[in-house]
Amino acid sequence: LDESDADSYVVLGQILQWQGRNAAAEAVLKRALVLSPTNGDAREQLRTVRYALAPLVRPSAVYESDSDGNRMLTTSFTASWHPAAHFELRADGYRRALEQTALERKATGGLIMGVLELEPGWTVTGGVGGSRTDAAGDPTHVAYRAGVRTPARFRVSAGVDLASQVLDETAVLADRGVRLTSFGGNVRWTPAPGWRVEGNTGYAYFKGTEDNSRVSGSLTASRRLGRFFSLGASVRSFTYEKDLNEGYFDPDFYGIGEITSY
């Protein structure tokens, strides 16, 4: 209520950071420094926001093997840059060396994506890219992605995503050029402090030697116990229109048991 109180702006800036709204936090903290140029808390909070908005490059290397005889080495990077506080540009690139018995393939790809933060906390994303493999004819493939998410601080928040890409995680997939286009949505509900319920549903279309589709869903509920622990349960299910052996899935039996800690 008191627009001349710098300390109130500092606290508001901290809250906005907790909500993931860095652009709004930067504007509020700048206002605090206009009112009180020597305010140490405002300077420290603004420094934290600018770290979050600073350019970033993160490289990685992952080696994988599985019971089907696949060996996959993926080197990749993720880079981000904020030309404006409310707009982020991201670049993702990768190169994969893939083996399965006598079959060897290499795949390279990348995606450029924009992330727009709209007050009071909406997020809109969109990106385009492509990939290439050394399969017969050196095929190239276009990739794209788009999504919208509501503010995460709401008791009920939701998001929808659309994505299309070629599957090149294994040598067989890279050789066949199976394309995946998926549409999904998720809803997160916080019915009371400490409780969290999240549901996801999705539809995916596979285009390969033969077309196929998949419907999937999941539901998770958890309760925070004290400061360090949460207890929860989840269920997931999916079904394919056809039982194909196209390299991405051949279901005779599928089961998972998980225990997660963090």
Side-chain angles (χ1 to χ4, degrees), residues 8-216:
S8 295
Y9 283 105
V10 173
V11 175
L12 178 57
Q14 176 67 80
I15 292 172
L16 291 170
Q17 288 183 72
W18 289 338
Q19 294 176 352
R21 299 161 63 189
N22 287 317
E26 183 183 47
V28 164
L29 293 167
K30 285 181 177 178
R31 174 64 178 164
L33 287 173
V34 169
L35 296 170
S36 178
T38 60
N39 190 306
D41 290 337
R43 291 181 177 277
E44 182 61 31
Q45 293 295 336
L46 188 58
R47 185 179 299 113
T48 302
V49 171
R50 286 175 172 166
Y51 279 144
L53 299 176
L56 172 71
V57 177
R58 184 188 305 115
S60 69
V62 177
Y63 176 77
E64 302 167 271
S65 64
D66 64 26
S67 57
D68 288 332
N70 287 296
R71 303 292 181 266
M72 302 87 82
L73 175 62
T74 303
T75 55
S76 63
F77 75 89
T78 296
S80 63
W81 173 57
H82 286 81
H86 63 280
F87 181 67
E88 179 184 9
L89 275 176
R90 295 180 185 171
D92 297 282
Y94 66 87
R95 181 172 176 80
R96 294 191 176 107
L98 309 166
E99 299 179 17
Q100 186 175 23
T101 59
L103 181 63
E104 296 185 8
R105 287 288 178 259
K106 288 184 170 55
T108 305
L111 187 75
I112 302 293
M113 187 163 62
V115 182
L116 182 63
E117 179 185 319
L118 301 173
E119 285 304 309
W122 289 73
T123 304
V124 180
T125 60
V128 63
S131 62
R132 183 178 185 133
T133 69
D134 62 352
D138 291 329
T140 59
H141 306 271
V142 175
Y144 59 84
R145 185 173 300 170
V148 178
R149 177 161 296 282
T150 65
R153 70 185 185 281
F154 291 169
R155 175 168 288 188
V156 177
S157 62
V160 292
D161 296 282
L162 171 68
S164 185
Q165 66 186 75
V166 70
L167 296 179
D168 55 10
E169 282 83 3
T170 68
V172 171
L173 287 170
D175 189 61
R176 295 181 180 178
V178 177
R179 185 171 190 83
L180 166 66
T181 301
S182 62
F183 178 80
N186 70 72
V187 176
R188 186 175 61 208
W189 176 40
T190 308
W195 283 92
R196 182 170 177 171
V197 180
E198 187 165 0
N200 297 270
T201 185
Y203 173 83
Y205 175 73
F206 297 81
K207 188 173 182 60
T209 305
E210 187 174 349
D211 295 349
N212 203 0
S213 63
R214 180 191 69 203
V215 177
S216 60

